[in-house]
Amino acid sequence: STPVVTSNRSSLPEISETAAYLADPLDSADLDTAIKKIVSNDKLAEKLTTRGSQQAKKFSWKSAANKFLKVIDNA
């Protein structure tokens, strides 16, 4: 896995929760700062990598299918 820098707009903060470093996509200096912080801080990079792997599991096809089946069963 890889640490992630993502937009602080739209639904991305909600989806990523604490698993990504949020930056303003329209501000190149903010993006530059975010990338430099991750590259220069091994603890931060490791924390985001671990959280990212955990967060990604919430969005698997299997999980989505199971949730869909529960909706169908309850209908």
Side-chain angles (χ1 to χ4, degrees), residues 56-70:
K57 291 176 185 174
K58 295 179 184 179
F59 299 96
S60 71
W61 282 110
K62 184 175 181 175
S63 174
N66 285 332
K67 289 177 184 177
F68 179 72
L69 288 174
K70 285 182 183 178

Side-chain angles (χ1 to χ4, degrees), residues 12-64:
L12 294 174
E14 181 181 352
I15 291 169
S16 62
E17 294 182 5
T18 61
Y21 193 101
L22 302 178
D24 183 344
L26 302 177
D27 183 346
S28 60
D30 195 31
L31 290 169
D32 181 60
T33 298
I35 292 168
K36 285 179 179 175
K37 281 186 179 183
I38 291 174
V39 169
S40 66
N41 186 331
D42 291 339
K43 279 189 167 186
L44 176 60
E46 184 178 331
K47 179 171 63 171
L48 292 175
T49 298
T50 300
R51 287 180 179 176
S53 293
Q54 293 168 347
Q55 187 68 2
K57 291 176 185 174
K58 295 179 184 179
F59 299 96
S60 71
W61 282 110
K62 184 175 181 175
S63 174

